[in-house]
Amino acid sequence: MDSLFTAAVAGLSAGGAYAILGVCAIFTYRLVAVVNFTGAAIGAAGTFAMVALFELGMPLLLAVLFGVAAGALAGLAIGLVMTTWFAGSNASTKAAVTAALLVGIIAVGLRLTGGQHPHYFPEIIPGSAFRLAGVEVTWAAVTTLVLSVAFTLLTEQFLARTRTGLQLRALSQRPMAAELIGIRVRLLALGVWAVTGGVTAFALMIIAPLRSPDFASLSLLVVPALAAALIGAFSSFRAALIGGVMIGLLEGSVSAIGPVSQYRGAVPFLVILAVLLWSQRGARWDEAR
Amino acid sequence: MTTFSIGALQVDRSGIPVIRGVDLEAKGGEISVLLGSNGAGKTTFLESLSGIIPVRSGFINLDGVELAKLRPGARAKTGLSHVEQGRTVFPAMTTEENLKVALHPDADLKEAYDLFPELLQRRNVEAGMLSGGEQQMVVIARSIVNRPRVILIDEMSSGLAPVIVSRLMRAVRQLADDGIAVVLVEQFAALALAIGNRAYVLRRGQIVYDGDCAALARDPAHLHRLYLGDAAA
């Protein structure tokens, strides 16, 4: 039982990062109407930029800042593609485009980062914060959790209380009507892509030392991100926050259960399946009648 | 005084010419009524003016500024406002948020509530929950607080009760009296001609009448012929 608890606590860092990624996924979906499969890949680009600069001898803090900026730029690049050629497309076309872009980014990312060539991922927030029932809770876990809660609350307040937030909400509801009243639709959309790119990059930097250190593995963290977003029904930031943390805890717990520990990576898929089945229960009931 | 001029405008949809060499002029303080049967090209014409769809050739000029190559947002910044058909409120935002999001730095929400006092008590209600008439008021009021010099209004009466339509028509007349140039596309020809100054009739993408609203209102048979063309004979 103790080992299960220890493993669950070990999943807190990942849970916090999943929560941030999930909130970013909802942010992108709600404001620019894109189910974004490239979210984690954008973050991976920023993370590897940080690693490359660190390996070249740049101080860690500076490398992190450049990495976040690289993530924002990568997000901006994807945003440019989406707003230039797919602004008028429907949601499924946009999702398909980001899925295709994900494949392309992974291919290019693996090539540029040397495939499976090992890189040293520095712990940007090292050390133990406190002990919880005898279990060490790291600063990385505390930081990702605090960051995920802060990002969720700030996002909600920003959308509710600022003029730019109001414009973003208008943009998300009726893009053309928003443009017809003079809202700078493209600029705001690009801002959303850049912000989510930068935030995702920072979240991945924190948990990268705990994951397989290759570009593809980090990029595929889009799966738990979308699972968290799905728990929030691509609408509720808070539900995605809780969902992301729960997925992290569940993953951590599963890793302590011997026979199934090697399948811990399947947890987000199971969560997605469970949420989809749950969301369809009304339709099944209607059909049965 | 504002002058909004359109000349030799040609617009295609899916490669097919829909607007074919249209000339129109709207002046500040006047309502230019654009009439025509279904499929004549009225909505396409307004959408090309506001930039929703591109023009093939011709000019769109607002007080000396050429708009034809600008994006919709840039046209809005120059003072062109488009009230689309279908009551395009932002449904998950309150009435007041719908107005605030379009508020020009020199404008005041009071102007919107003065035009439609009935919105005041509905200001904290989500726009998606308002009645059709109230939603149309929100869209027109949202346009006003954007400080336009020209307003294009497309089928604002669609699906509304006659008493609401009359209320909206009075408001539109008030906007023109305040100095705004209004281009009004309307299915209720008699009501539109009653408040308008200059009338245009569009048939198969071409202007077939350009004249006084009152003269056209006095001769419904002529209007009928203009709508239907050879088929009326």
Side-chain angles (χ1 to χ4, degrees), chain A residues 176-203:
Chain A
M176 184 47 72
E179 188 159 9
L180 286 174
I181 56 172
I183 292 176
R184 294 178 175 183
V185 170
R186 192 159 189 236
L187 190 68
L188 285 180
L190 290 175
V192 168
W193 283 99
V195 167
T196 53
V199 171
T200 305
F202 187 62

Side-chain angles (χ1 to χ4, degrees), chain B residues 27-165:
Chain B
K27 291 188 179 300
E30 291 187 357
I31 297 175
S32 301
V33 177
L34 181 63
L35 303 171
S37 58
N38 286 340
K42 304 184 297 293
T43 294
T44 297
F45 178 63
L46 290 197
E47 288 182 346
S48 70
L49 298 185
S50 62
I52 295 174
I53 56 175
V55 301
R56 183 152 66 90
S57 60
F59 67 84
I60 303 167
N61 194 291
L62 174 54
D63 290 337
V65 178
E66 178 52 37
L67 306 183
K69 301 289 182 196
L70 300 181
R71 290 182 59 85
R75 296 186 200 198
K77 296 272 185 208
T78 64
L80 179 66
S81 181
H82 183 177
V83 175
E84 296 173 275
Q85 64 178 344
R87 304 194 282 273
T88 56
V89 292
F90 301 116
M93 288 162 53
T94 65
T95 296
E96 188 134 312
E97 285 175 332
N98 265 269
L99 301 176
K100 274 184 180 172
V101 77
L103 191 64
H104 188 277
D106 299 335
D108 194 310
L109 289 182
K110 188 173 176 299
E111 297 164 31
Y113 293 130
D114 284 346
L115 185 66
F116 296 116
E118 43 276 76
L119 292 182
L120 199 55
Q121 60 184 359
R122 309 284 277 163
R123 65 183 183 277
N124 294 320
V125 177
E126 281 193 359
M129 303 300 289
L130 299 173
S131 69
E134 288 169 336
Q135 288 184 343
Q136 194 65 68
M137 290 176 196
V138 169
V139 176
I140 294 172
R142 190 177 72 195
S143 173
I144 298 312
V145 296
N146 210 215
R147 273 282 191 271
R149 284 180 283 166
V150 179
I151 299 185
L152 316 173
I153 303 177
D154 194 2
E155 303 281 15
M156 70 173 178
S157 63
S158 182
L160 299 179
V163 64
I164 301 294
V165 176

